[in-house]
Amino acid sequence: MIPISQVQPNQVYVITELRVDASIYKHLQNMGMLPGTKVAILSIAKGNGIVLLQNHRVALDIEVLNQIYVNEVNLEPAHWLPLSDLAVGELAMVVDIQGAGAVHRRLMDMGITKGTRLLVRKVAPLGDPMEIRLRGYELSLRKEEAENVIVSPIID
């Protein structure tokens, strides 16, 4: 059992204990952050952390993150990763779309939404762009765009 502030990014963990004040506990409970809930830390910077909780990103102060204890989930696949990290032929499901404003909207307009299954068809020799198949069509994405799409590999 370790504080969520000390875990590896983009891996799935399960909350085991919340050692926070009653008022903070109530706030976390209202967000759905309870013991037994699966979460992943997306990033920690400048005293704040971004946690992926039930397909929503939540920003929490580092002091609160130090009081949330988790254990690693031992499921296959055991982690989430950016779409840009997948190899040719790998199948995955979209877990989250990062990016703000126009980037987020553009990815969604192209059909990349949470729960969508996709297949990496081709990757250019230098890794940029990559071609994926989703919703019955092929789509080319720049590596920069693919880094904003968080996926969970599917093992068939």
Side-chain angles (χ1 to χ4, degrees):
M1 196 164 64
I2 57 174
I4 197 167
S5 60
Q6 297 176 10
V7 301
Q8 294 284 17
N10 300 320
Q11 287 192 339
V12 181
Y13 294 87
V14 64
I15 297 174
T16 54
E17 188 177 351
L18 299 169
R19 298 179 184 170
V20 294
D21 304 338
S23 62
I24 295 174
Y25 186 90
K26 183 74 172 169
H27 183 68
L28 294 175
Q29 180 182 20
N30 289 339
M31 289 191 300
M33 192 172 282
L34 298 166
T37 305
K38 291 180 186 173
V39 295
I41 200 89
L42 296 177
S43 65
I44 294 181
K46 298 181 183 175
N48 292 317
I50 306 295
V51 177
L52 186 62
L53 170 70
Q54 300 170 358
N55 292 330
H56 298 287
R57 287 176 285 166
V58 178
L60 294 172
D61 187 80
I62 194 72
E63 292 177 21
V64 174
L65 293 176
N66 285 331
Q67 298 171 5
I68 299 172
Y69 287 82
V70 296
N71 281 333
E72 188 170 353
V73 175
N74 294 320
L75 299 173
E76 287 296 327
H79 64 281
W80 299 329
L81 59 143
L83 174 58
S84 58
D85 289 356
L86 292 181
V88 173
E90 283 192 88
L91 186 64
M93 183 169 38
V94 178
V95 175
D96 188 38
I97 302 167
Q98 298 180 336
V103 173
H104 189 269
R105 170 65 22 211
R106 183 169 178 265
L107 290 169
M108 290 183 66
D109 288 346
M110 290 187 286
I112 301 172
T113 57
K114 294 176 188 174
T116 302
R117 292 172 58 111
L118 53 85
L119 171 73
V120 178
R121 290 196 18 106
K122 301 177 194 173
V123 177
L126 297 176
D128 194 17
M130 68 188 309
E131 183 178 295
I132 60 173
R133 180 167 181 73
L134 71 153
R135 300 182 186 268
Y137 71 96
E138 279 77 33
L139 173 67
S140 292
L141 289 175
R142 292 178 293 211
K143 188 173 184 175
E144 180 181 309
E145 295 168 327
E147 288 173 350
N148 288 317
V149 180
I150 306 298
V151 298
S152 175
I154 298 172
I155 300 170
D156 278 344

